[in-house]
Amino acid sequence: MGVEIRRGSSRFADRGQGRATWHAFSFGEHYDPDRLRFGPMVCHDEHLLGDGRGFETHAHEELEIVSWVVSGALTHRDSLGSSATLRPGQVGHLRAGSGVTHSEIAAAPQTRFVQVWLVPDTEGLTPSYSVAEVPAGRGFVEAVRPTDGSTMYVAELDGGESVLLPAGARRHLFVASGALLRSSLAEPLGQGDAFLIEAEDDVEVTAAVPTQLLVWTLG
């Protein structure tokens, strides 16, 4: 089975006043030819923001951008007229398409969120923004499907609970909070760690403590 482990401590760190970001793939001045993308995923960032801190208005195009708040609250505003404050249990999906500007500012102290960028199936799409509630449930719950071949799932596990990962030939598992016990894949994983799996084998993981997992199946 093709499996890569990415430790939180080994990701590229980028810090500013009231802000810390950890990049899992090459980003800006943090260039690594071995970490350019994973299928259509070209960015997987974890951000920690102080209240009122974040990213002022900036532009994107030809990207599908998915944001998941782990704690706190994040306010999104864009050139489409969209305005929404994301909280835990909600997923935001910005289709940049032919071009859009937006801002992301923390609306609570210690706002922690994960953002993923994916290359779209088709270029030149009309930009859009949407927010969806992700209901809590046992096992993995589908959160968003930004492209034909990419789906994000969320699982909230109790300590000692085991679950099979969603099926797929290419999967990205991120420990948003908590920790996983040793599995058939490798030693334990903690908050901020990830598995990158390129195989269709069944994979079962077990939570050591209450744990939130984000899993992408990628075409």
Side-chain angles (χ1 to χ4, degrees), residues 5-172:
I5 301 173
R6 293 194 178 174
R7 295 291 181 188
S9 59
S10 67
R11 293 176 296 163
F12 302 118
D14 179 11
R15 301 177 186 273
Q17 186 173 9
R19 174 186 66 81
T21 296
W22 294 268
H23 302 290
F25 295 91
S26 289
F27 193 97
E29 65 183 23
H30 302 293
Y31 177 75
D32 182 342
D34 296 325
R35 290 189 174 188
L36 297 178
R37 63 189 297 164
F38 188 58
M41 182 185 291
V42 294
C43 171
H44 190 293
D45 284 351
E46 178 187 355
H47 303 280
L48 180 62
L49 305 177
D51 194 5
R53 299 292 182 178
F55 305 94
E56 299 294 343
T57 301
H58 56 285
H60 290 289
E61 62 181 23
E62 306 304 354
L63 286 172
E64 303 288 332
I65 300 174
V66 173
S67 300
W68 174 262
V69 175
V70 180
S71 61
L74 183 72
T75 297
H76 164 100
R77 292 188 175 89
D78 61 42
S79 55
L80 307 173
S82 308
S83 178
T85 298
L86 292 175
R87 301 183 186 278
Q90 297 178 308
V91 61
H93 174 206
L94 175 64
R95 172 162 288 159
S98 56
V100 66
T101 61
H102 77 138
S103 63
E104 298 159 305
I105 305 296
Q110 295 295 301
T111 291
R112 183 167 166 255
F113 74 102
V114 178
Q115 188 169 91
V116 174
W117 298 359
L118 302 112
V119 177
D121 299 317
T122 304
E123 294 186 351
L125 296 174
T126 300
S128 64
Y129 182 72
S130 62
V131 176
E133 300 283 343
V134 181
R138 296 192 63 80
F140 284 97
V141 177
E142 182 176 322
V144 64
R145 188 177 297 183
T147 72
D148 289 342
S150 304
T151 304
M152 188 184 102
Y153 299 87
V154 180
E156 302 280 354
L157 305 180
D158 294 329
E161 184 177 355
S162 298
V163 66
L164 280 175
L165 301 191
R170 182 185 284 124
R171 288 166 285 180
H172 183 286

